[in-house]
Amino acid sequence: MGLLERLRKEWFILGIVLVIAVARLEPGVGVKGGPLKPEITITYIAVSAIFFNSGLSLKTEELTSALMHVKLHLFVQIFTLVFFPTAIWVFLQLLSITPINEWLLKGLQTVGCMPPPVSSAVILTKAVGGNEAAAIFNSAFGSFLGIVITPLLLLLFLGSSSSVPFTSIFSQLFMTVVVPLIIGQIVRRYIKDWLERKKPPFGAISSCVLLMIIYTTFCDTFANPNIDLDKFSLIIIVFIIFSIQMSFMFLTFLFSTRNNSTFTPADTVAIVFCSTHKSLTLGIPMLKIVFAGYEHLSLISVPLLIYHPAQILLGSLLVPTIKSWMVSRQK
């Protein structure tokens, strides 16, 4: 019974291992343009489903109170869109003298410029039991800021002459994040009593959708022929990415739990995930737009393709640890 109970609790981590293994064996199924059509099913349907689910499960009063948490939002957005890209730039000045592939290093800089994701940070915050409303607000708000700020950061740190069609990215974000969230909140008003009585498994539903996103992400990663280029540089980049994530998660944790901090343990969970996660869904289209015509575009994209599954993998593995810390602090 103990083993079954443990499997029931750890099913999400087991699911991650399984979908990665399946993606490695047959990446063609979930790759862009493949039978699953992730450019529609993931980009639109899965992301919309996650935010509709969040809208349905979130108590309206919690979301309203999250809007007022200005200090938390400022911390997350400044860390993500100012400190993160600047720290990476300083770090890359040191790495530029090493034999690591220069286009992979440029790719690391693009990771630093990306906004927070619209799904993984929210789901991991929810899985821990952190401040989900704050995570949703910062993911959505950060993504909207990113539409304007990310291309400007890319131009500042890497330079490019192309123009960016803000309107098409903005409209896609609005349709897949804001609209489903609002519809979920409206539907909730009419079936609130039923939801509180039945308590549907919102967390499990979101986790299943996230497994689908992980699967298609790894399909793209494994199907990319450039992943096999320069194995030394690639291994070093993977190591650097995990080191950056661990360091920045630890840094945000230290800042948000210091003695004079006004953040609750639930706030800290949202801060740690929202500040350190980066969006692949927004990132890859932006790179293709800003660096249109670059022959090294695929190599520039590789660090982001690695960072995205790495942040979900690392975050998922840390869920039990962060959860036990939060529960002990709340007691």
Side-chain angles (χ1 to χ4, degrees):
M1 187 66 188
L3 179 66
L4 281 174
E5 185 64 23
R6 183 152 183 80
L7 283 174
R8 192 177 68 79
K9 283 185 177 177
E10 306 295 340
W11 73 270
F12 184 58
I13 293 171
L14 293 172
I16 289 172
V17 175
L18 184 65
V19 295
I20 292 171
V22 174
R24 182 73 188 92
L25 290 170
E26 198 53 69
V29 177
V31 79
K32 190 176 179 182
L36 280 183
K37 293 280 181 284
E39 62 274 22
I40 297 166
T41 54
I42 298 299
T43 308
Y44 295 100
I45 300 168
V47 174
S48 298
I50 282 170
F51 279 90
F52 173 75
N53 190 35
S54 293
L56 205 56
S57 62
L58 249 191
K59 292 172 181 168
T60 313
E61 54 274 21
E62 284 180 10
L63 198 58
T64 312
S65 68
L67 296 175
M68 305 300 129
H69 213 331
V70 178
K71 190 181 172 186
L72 189 151
H73 309 324
L74 278 174
F75 182 98
V76 171
Q77 300 308 328
I78 290 170
F79 190 94
T80 310
L81 295 168
V82 179
F83 176 80
F84 203 129
T86 309
I88 295 290
W89 183 82
V90 171
F91 182 49
L92 290 182
Q93 302 314 300
L94 303 172
L95 288 180
S96 62
I97 57 170
T98 66
I100 301 169
N101 184 297
E102 66 164 313
W103 297 104
L104 288 178
L105 291 180
K106 284 183 190 291
L108 265 183
Q109 183 64 68
T110 68
V111 171
C113 299
M114 291 301 152
V118 290
S119 52
S120 59
V122 175
I123 294 168
L124 288 167
T125 302
K126 189 185 180 89
V128 174
N131 190 339
E132 191 199 351
I136 285 182
F137 180 84
N138 277 287
S139 293
F141 183 60
S143 298
F144 280 113
L145 279 180
I147 292 165
V148 177
I149 295 174
T150 294
L152 294 175
L153 288 172
L154 291 171
L155 299 176
L156 175 70
F157 287 110
L158 296 160
S160 177
S161 57
S162 61
S163 57
V164 181
F166 294 118
T167 46
S168 60
I169 302 172
F170 190 87
S171 59
Q172 184 189 321
L173 257 184
F174 187 77
M175 293 308 294
T176 56
V177 177
V178 180
V179 173
L181 191 64
I182 292 169
I183 293 171
Q185 284 281 285
I186 293 167
V187 172
R188 180 182 171 82
R189 288 183 65 181
Y190 291 101
I191 58 167
K192 188 178 176 182
D193 293 339
W194 181 84
L195 289 173
E196 286 177 1
R197 199 168 61 248
K198 294 286 184 182
K199 293 186 169 42
F202 291 116
I205 294 165
S206 290
S207 297
C208 289
V209 177
L210 185 58
L211 286 177
M212 190 178 161
I213 294 172
I214 295 168
Y215 169 67
T216 56
T217 302
F218 272 97
C219 283
D220 273 334
T221 306
F222 292 132
N224 190 326
N226 294 298
I227 291 292
D228 294 327
L229 293 176
D230 190 3
K231 284 192 167 58
F232 165 76
S233 291
L234 203 60
I235 290 164
I236 297 294
I237 289 292
V238 170
F239 174 75
I240 289 169
I241 283 170
F242 274 101
S243 303
I244 287 169
Q245 285 186 23
M246 286 298 291
S247 306
F248 283 3
M249 285 177 93
F250 185 62
L251 197 62
T252 51
F253 179 80
L254 281 182
F255 265 108
S256 57
T257 55
R258 66 192 192 283
N259 290 334
N260 60 343
S261 165
T262 55
F263 299 124
T264 66
D267 292 339
T268 295
V269 173
I271 286 168
V272 167
F273 287 128
C274 291
S275 301
T276 57
H277 279 216
K278 295 290 184 176
S279 176
L280 181 80
T281 317
L282 283 173
I284 293 298
M286 279 190 184
L287 290 183
K288 284 180 179 171
I289 292 159
V290 177
F291 298 106
Y294 269 56
E295 62 173 305
H296 296 288
L297 174 60
S298 52
L299 275 178
I300 292 173
S301 308
V302 166
L304 187 56
L305 284 172
I306 297 168
Y307 194 97
H308 183 76
Q311 71 190 5
I312 297 169
L313 201 60
L314 192 61
S316 306
L317 291 170
L318 289 172
V319 162
T321 311
I322 298 172
K323 196 170 193 169
S324 61
W325 167 82
M326 194 183 80
V327 169
S328 68
R329 281 294 296 268
Q330 285 174 332
K331 281 177 184 173

